[in-house]
């Protein structure tokens, strides 16, 4: 089983109100051991279930002690499956803290397996999201973007993109245009692309809509973006895609997107969004111009 077939990038960054369940023993050590036993039982199922993993990790954090550290160290164990590593990564994303940085850096050493390094890269980015002022951490995270292992590199890129870091978005777009990444990773690039950048990177959205190698959810997302925000320059490519699309439902959605774009164009309606420069931009063919500049030119 290859870890890269799984989405590693399910960061649960929101603040969690961790409440100790009444079923957890009163002694912290007992509580920790009970939750760790629950994790091991869950791990034996060998089923990808980030939501369940996150619930157990929340209880482990609430129990106190060093249970989170033990689970993190388990990430590097040769005895666990690729599925277990993905579950651990998803579960620990909200809980890694500065005290865990050395463990993560050890898991990122070149001699570690690629799957372990990829998971550690994701978690180091999660730590960077909450503790970016830690001395040297930014340099360590940015170094992952140039790692020789494409799995490690993409794990860091996608994690930063999901977090909305400008460098992550920039690197994700560049990776797409280089044709880099597995279909699942390319789907994550598309899904993580900020909606306000649809106008600037419509070429990526169109390519994603037409790429039969991508998971269907990513293709549907791309078609939906085009239906709501696409401009007339996408119509020709969509028409060609419809003619050869094997998925009847996707072909129907593409047709609806073409109709929506054509209707907007016929009525002279241009979707307006906030661009990356903080100014309003219209999604018209050619180089988008800030809406404020248009008004000044019109004498408004």
């Amino acid at each position: 089983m290859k870890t890269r077939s799984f989405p590693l990038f399910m960061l649960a960054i929101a603040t969690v109100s961790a409440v100790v369940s009444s079923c957890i023993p009163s002694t912290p050590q007992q509580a920790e051991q009970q939750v760790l036993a629950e994790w091991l039982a869950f791990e034996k199922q060998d089923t990808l279930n980030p939501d369940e993993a996150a619930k157990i990790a929340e209880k482990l954090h609430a129990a106190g002690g060093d249970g989170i550290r033990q689970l993190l160290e388990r990430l590097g164990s040769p005895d666990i499956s690729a599925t277990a590593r993905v579950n651990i990564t998803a579960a620990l994303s909200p809980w890694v803290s500065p005290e865990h940085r050395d463990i993560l850096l050890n898991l990122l050493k070149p001699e570690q397996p690629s799957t372990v390094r990829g998971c550690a890269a994701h978690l180091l980015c999660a730590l960077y999201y909450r503790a970016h002022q830690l001395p040297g951490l930014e340099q360590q995270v940015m170094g992952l973007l140039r790692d020789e292992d494409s799995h490690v590199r993409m794990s860091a890129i996608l994690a930063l993109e999901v977090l909305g870091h400008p460098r992550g978005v920039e690197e994700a777009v560049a990776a797409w245009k280089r044709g880099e990444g597995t279909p699942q990773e390319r789907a994550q690039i598309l899904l993580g692309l900020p909606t306000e950048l649809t106008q600037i990177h419509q070429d990526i959205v169109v390519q994603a809509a037409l790429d039969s190698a991508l998971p269907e959810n990513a293709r549907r997302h791309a078609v939906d973006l085009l239906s709501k925000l696409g401009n007339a320059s996408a119509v020709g490519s969509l028409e060609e895609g419809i003619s050869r699309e094997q998925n009847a439902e996707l072909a129907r959605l593409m047709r609806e997107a073409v109709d929506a774009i054509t209707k907007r164009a016929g009525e002279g309606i241009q979707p307006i969004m906030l661009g990356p420069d903080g100014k309003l931009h219209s999604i018209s063919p050619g180089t988008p111009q800030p809406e404020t500049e248009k008004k000044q030119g019109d004498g408004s």
Side-chain angles (χ1 to χ4, degrees):
M1 182 183 301
K2 293 184 179 180
T3 305
R4 296 189 73 172
S5 64
F6 295 127
L8 298 182
F9 316 102
M10 308 171 183
L11 288 179
I13 299 301
T15 302
V16 178
S17 176
V19 179
V20 179
S21 170
S22 59
C23 66
I24 296 180
S26 57
T27 304
Q29 186 175 8
Q30 291 177 330
E32 179 182 282
Q33 292 305 312
Q34 179 171 313
V35 181
L36 283 171
E38 181 181 351
W39 176 272
L40 292 176
F42 163 70
E43 192 177 285
K44 287 181 180 178
Q45 300 173 18
D46 202 30
T47 301
L48 185 65
N49 191 340
D51 290 337
E52 182 63 24
K55 291 176 184 177
I56 299 174
E58 180 182 344
K59 288 194 286 185
L60 194 59
H61 179 266
D66 64 352
I68 294 295
R69 178 189 60 79
Q70 292 182 57
L71 192 57
L72 182 59
E73 290 178 338
R74 188 161 180 76
L75 188 63
S77 170
D79 302 325
I80 67 173
S81 68
T83 303
R85 287 196 177 96
V86 175
N87 283 330
I88 289 175
T89 303
L92 294 186
S93 291
W95 305 118
V96 287
S97 61
E99 66 191 72
H100 301 134
R101 176 162 64 166
D102 287 345
I103 299 174
L104 290 171
L105 293 177
N106 183 59
L107 294 173
L108 277 163
K109 289 181 177 178
E111 60 267 24
Q112 295 282 5
S114 179
T115 55
V116 172
R117 296 187 71 235
C119 291
H122 178 89
L123 290 171
L124 194 70
C125 290
L127 174 60
Y128 174 65
Y129 177 81
R130 290 191 303 280
H132 62 274
Q133 293 182 339
L134 280 177
L137 181 57
E138 181 170 19
Q139 183 179 4
Q140 290 163 342
V141 168
M142 295 307 160
L144 297 174
L145 302 178
R146 294 291 176 262
D147 197 277
E148 292 183 0
D149 187 327
S150 64
H151 178 43
V152 175
R153 187 167 61 250
M154 288 299 295
S155 293
I157 288 172
L158 292 171
L160 290 177
E161 183 194 25
V162 167
L163 294 170
H165 192 286
R167 182 70 183 277
V169 175
E170 175 187 332
E171 293 286 345
V173 168
W176 178 284
K177 294 186 175 181
R178 290 193 302 267
E180 187 174 352
T182 65
Q184 182 62 55
E185 288 167 343
R186 289 176 70 77
Q188 290 294 326
I189 289 175
L190 183 279
L191 293 170
L193 188 70
T195 303
E196 64 268 21
L197 299 185
T198 300
Q199 63 203 66
I200 297 174
H201 299 300
Q202 181 172 275
D203 57 335
I204 288 178
V205 181
V206 171
Q207 290 168 19
L210 304 180
D211 189 349
S212 61
L214 294 187
E216 186 173 330
N217 69 315
R219 297 185 67 197
R220 283 174 173 265
H221 178 68
V223 174
D224 184 60
L225 286 175
L226 293 170
S227 181
K228 295 174 179 175
L229 302 167
N231 66 52
S233 65
V235 170
S237 296
L238 286 174
E239 291 281 13
E240 291 181 14
I242 292 169
S243 67
R244 59 176 183 269
E245 180 57 55
Q246 299 297 310
N247 185 319
E249 178 63 12
L250 274 172
R252 181 185 67 79
L253 293 174
M254 280 190 256
R255 171 55 58 195
E256 291 180 356
V258 167
D259 292 343
I261 294 170
T262 304
K263 183 174 184 293
R264 280 198 301 271
E267 295 175 349
I269 298 174
Q270 296 176 355
I272 302 295
M273 300 184 64
L274 188 67
D277 58 1
K279 299 179 181 179
L280 292 175
H281 287 255
S282 62
I283 316 178
S284 56
T287 304
Q289 296 180 357
E291 194 67 15
T292 52
E293 291 180 11
K294 286 184 180 180
K295 289 182 179 180
Q296 290 173 2
D298 293 338
S300 302

